[in-house]
Amino acid sequence: MTVSDSVDYRAMFRLDGKRALVIGAGSGIGRESALALGALGARVTCADIDLAKAEETAGGSGSDSAATLLDVRDADAVAAAAAALPDLDVLVFTTGRNVRKRLFDYTTAEFDDVLDLNLRGAFHIIRAFGAGMVARGGGSIVGMSSIRSITVEPGQAVYAASKAALVQLIRGAAAEFGPAGVRVNAVAPGVVRTPLTDPIFAVPEWQAAYAAKSALGRWARPSEIAGAVAFLASDASSFITGSLLCVDGGWTAVDGRYDPPR
């Protein structure tokens, strides 16, 4: 018998019996991530700053799902949520804010708002929930970064800086939590059709430019990002930590879209 003969490859993608929390589950990628984890057998708690939307997602995430109100900018609220979920196996957070303005037009207040949610909020989340996972000796944390952590365009400098810093925060957590068996990874979506990107999608030139930049020539669906989240949450990724998984249709791999003549 070889080593592979003893592995149940179907089971390693399952999340049966796992307790999961998805922060930002009210819409978009967070919502689809919660639905994906629930479909794979996890007991999902859906957290969002909009409780009604979290409850709506929980309604489709399985009979054992629950919803809770959470503002990750509030360190005390995050700590209380972590205390209320002492047996957490999977943590996914997709919260984020983007103010698309050029640097000369940015206000200090807008800069603070973006960093407060995208980076400080992630700091609260990783510390509070990571502590419990480290104490129990296992778990998977998945944070939502962006292709803007790698590549940028005018009007995205502050958002890009926050998402790049998030990747390094996640890598640092992976280094510190790894000896306890806790994995910490980031997902970097490309352009995804969600309510947050509807204003971009509504401009034909902008929509087409973004679609053309990727190798696949289209925008992503939230469910396509949720598949990557589910993989990182499962035992199928048991030797992956400190990684940035780009789910961008080839955006960060392709340099230009000109197809030279043969």
Side-chain angles (χ1 to χ4, degrees):
M1 176 181 290
T2 65
V3 173
S4 63
D5 289 335
S6 64
V7 176
D8 185 344
Y9 285 106
R10 291 174 298 180
M12 69 166 54
F13 286 91
R14 295 289 306 179
L15 295 169
D16 300 289
K18 301 289 187 181
R19 182 66 181 269
L21 170 67
V22 179
I23 302 174
S27 64
I29 295 170
R31 179 180 187 278
E32 292 302 321
S33 295
L35 296 177
L37 298 182
L40 290 168
R43 294 177 296 147
V44 184
T45 297
C46 301
D48 201 276
I49 197 169
D50 186 327
L51 180 58
K53 289 185 177 179
E55 290 173 336
E56 182 180 344
T57 301
S61 300
S63 58
D64 292 330
S65 295
T68 188
L69 178 69
L70 184 60
D71 183 348
V72 302
R73 297 167 297 185
D74 184 339
D76 291 337
V78 174
L85 294 168
D87 58 345
L88 200 65
D89 300 295
V90 176
L91 166 67
V92 178
F93 61 94
T94 67
T95 49
R97 175 170 170 75
N98 189 0
V99 177
R100 295 181 179 87
K101 283 186 177 181
R102 293 174 184 261
L103 287 171
F104 292 153
D105 299 324
Y106 242 88
T107 67
T108 300
E110 288 168 336
F111 178 90
D112 289 343
D113 284 346
V114 172
L115 271 291
D116 195 33
L117 182 58
N118 296 3
L119 188 57
R120 189 186 299 272
F123 172 72
H124 297 326
I125 292 167
I126 292 170
R127 288 211 313 168
F129 291 97
M133 290 182 171
V134 167
R136 291 190 303 276
S140 175
I141 299 174
V142 183
M144 201 59 54
S145 181
S146 168
I147 58 169
R148 294 303 172 208
S149 66
I150 302 170
T151 183
V152 72
E153 66 182 2
Q156 296 273 32
V158 175
Y159 177 77
S162 73
K163 290 300 186 177
L166 173 60
V167 172
Q168 291 303 91
L169 181 66
I170 282 172
R171 286 172 174 160
E176 295 181 16
F177 301 173
V182 178
R183 299 183 296 108
V184 193
N185 292 288
V187 173
V191 289
V192 187
R193 182 72 193 277
T194 70
L196 291 177
T197 58
D198 278 346
I200 298 173
F201 199 83
V203 180
E205 297 83 0
W206 205 350
Q207 175 193 145
Y210 274 14
K213 180 62 180 71
S214 74
L216 297 181
R218 63 176 177 84
W219 287 48
R221 299 181 297 275
S223 59
E224 293 177 298
I225 314 303
V229 170
F231 165 66
L232 291 174
S234 75
D235 289 341
S237 62
S238 60
F239 203 60
I240 300 176
T241 194
S243 292
L244 176 65
L245 176 56
C246 293
V247 189
D248 62 359
W251 181 298
T252 54
V254 176
D255 182 16
R257 296 299 301 151
Y258 176 68
D259 191 6
R262 292 185 174 88

